Amino acid sequence: MTITSLLSAPIGFGTAPLGNMFRAIPEKEAAATVTAAWDQGIRYFDTAPFYGAGLAEIRLGDVLSAYPRDDYVLSTKVGRVILDETEDVSARDLGEKGGLFAHGRPNKVVNDYSADATLRSIEDSLKRLQTDRLDIVWVHDIAQDFYGDEWLSVFESARTGAFRTLTRLRDEGVIKGWGVGVNRVEALELTLDLDEPQPDAFLLAGRYTLLDHDRALQRLLPAAVERQVDIVVGGPYSSGILAGGKHFEYQEASAEIIAKVERIKALTAVHGIGIKAAALQFSLAHPATAAVIPGATKPSRIAEDLAALQETIPAAFWDALREEQLISPLAPVPTN
């Protein structure tokens, strides 16, 4: 199975913002955004229990439950179990992502990549999403940004627990595919080296964007092409800085990053294109990439994203980015 065989278009909807990432989003605004995505043809939706301690899944399920289940592709993640009991949200240890979902639900989040926790997580997600099945399941965040020096032991727990459980569920036809969803390339490189049954795809967030792609180009993406493991690019706007926001890597962007974005913006102005178009089309240009899944919290953003995919970008723009060393000379660029 390949992800591309499931998807009707190379763009989906990433629901991390619907978990109240960075800010509290009104229920009506969240519902209107998902509805706008559906009305404008989006048919791939990605979510996770981690996003607001189940909030994003609940909000997504409230809207999608009104539509035929066969008409869309749905992915969620395992690795965190959401409990009914509550906790101090500000005291959560999220590694480098502290405070990311400070406005989410206060339910206790337990990190657990075991086989039993994987099955429980899926069962809980199905309830929150108001559906009877999942298409793709990602093993979430088994990397350095959340677990620091302990990430390899967490990876091993996932390998013997979640990986094997999801392989069995795929082989039994319960899910259509599984993979690993992270913000770092090392865990994906390690997964590709395993002798055990391989995943169907990877969800790589923030590591193949205009602002950060060198490491992914070195080994991961060529190996993914060779092994026919699709890449879904999450965070193509680098946490928002490439779409008019102020965050990079889920934190306030540094002066260095802001300056780099301004240089890219200057070139988009010269060539009469939008920076969103440059960001999305760059991420999709690599042959390993199956789809991009930008997030949104306003209905108007959906139309912007879809228009950005259709925008014609002159070859001279990509040449200028290379000349100014703003993108790697190894990076494929779109050809119109």
Side-chain angles (χ1 to χ4, degrees):
M1 194 279 299
T2 62
I3 296 296
T4 50
S5 69
L6 293 179
L7 303 181
S8 60
I11 186 169
F13 182 85
T15 66
L18 298 187
N20 282 353
M21 186 168 69
F22 302 134
R23 69 183 181 94
I25 301 161
E27 292 293 335
K28 288 185 178 180
E29 185 177 320
T33 303
V34 179
T35 301
W38 181 274
D39 289 345
Q40 294 176 67
I42 299 293
R43 293 295 182 268
Y44 172 37
F45 299 87
D46 176 74
T47 190
F50 180 58
Y51 302 157
L55 181 59
E57 287 187 322
I58 291 169
R59 286 172 160 175
L60 183 63
D62 284 344
V63 177
L64 292 186
S65 62
Y67 302 112
R69 181 61 186 86
D70 290 343
D71 289 357
Y72 61 91
V73 175
L74 181 62
S75 62
T76 192
K77 305 177 182 74
V78 296
R80 273 90 170 216
V81 176
I82 312 302
L83 306 183
D84 290 333
E85 64 184 276
T86 60
E87 64 182 350
D88 180 359
V89 175
S90 64
R92 286 176 181 158
D93 181 8
L94 302 183
E96 299 173 7
K97 309 295 193 296
L100 188 60
F101 292 105
H103 302 284
R105 297 200 308 163
N107 295 61
K108 187 173 183 179
V109 179
V110 177
N111 300 332
D112 193 337
Y113 297 87
S114 67
D116 287 345
T118 297
L119 294 174
R120 177 177 175 181
S121 181
I122 289 174
E123 182 179 348
D124 291 346
S125 288
L126 291 173
K127 292 176 182 177
R128 287 189 291 266
L129 289 163
Q130 301 180 49
T131 186
D132 62 350
R133 66 189 187 276
L134 302 169
D135 297 300
I136 307 162
V137 178
W138 309 109
V139 182
H140 205 191
D141 288 333
I142 47 174
Q144 305 94 310
D145 51 332
F146 279 94
Y147 297 106
D149 292 340
E150 302 298 317
W151 81 272
L152 285 172
S153 65
V154 174
F155 181 94
E156 180 63 11
S157 175
R159 183 188 70 81
T160 58
F163 285 21
R164 292 174 180 175
T165 300
L166 294 176
T167 296
R168 176 175 60 81
L169 293 178
R170 178 191 62 191
D171 293 347
E172 292 174 354
V174 177
I175 61 176
K176 293 178 181 176
W178 72 274
V180 177
V182 288
N183 300 280
R184 295 289 186 271
V185 302
E186 291 83 357
L188 304 187
E189 292 173 344
L190 189 56
T191 303
L192 283 176
D193 287 339
L194 295 176
D195 293 329
E196 298 182 42
Q198 286 292 304
D200 303 280
F202 292 136
L203 171 52
L204 180 62
R207 298 282 77 78
Y208 197 66
T209 72
L210 276 176
L211 293 178
D212 188 343
H213 52 268
D214 288 331
R215 177 61 191 267
L217 281 168
Q218 291 173 15
R219 176 169 175 252
L220 175 63
L221 295 185
V225 171
E226 181 182 351
R227 308 279 184 86
Q228 296 183 314
V229 176
D230 292 330
I231 303 287
V232 174
V233 174
Y237 299 138
S238 292
S239 301
I241 191 69
L242 289 173
K246 59 182 181 179
H247 293 95
F248 173 74
E249 281 294 282
Y250 308 102
Q251 305 294 331
E252 293 277 344
S254 67
E256 180 182 2
I257 290 296
I258 292 172
K260 186 174 183 179
V261 172
E262 289 304 314
R263 291 175 63 197
I264 295 173
K265 283 183 177 178
L267 290 176
T268 63
V270 167
H271 294 276
I273 62 171
I275 193 168
K276 275 192 166 186
L280 292 185
Q281 293 188 36
F282 174 84
S283 293
L284 281 171
H286 198 285
T289 305
V292 290
I293 49 170
T297 58
K298 296 180 183 295
S300 60
R301 303 298 189 219
I302 305 300
E304 292 176 8
D305 292 339
L306 293 173
L309 280 185
Q310 300 303 317
E311 199 167 326
T312 299
I313 300 179
F317 170 73
W318 304 111
D319 293 339
L321 285 182
R322 285 194 171 122
E323 288 170 7
E324 296 200 18
Q325 299 183 334
L326 289 169
I327 61 171
S328 168
L330 301 177
V333 295
T335 55
N336 294 316

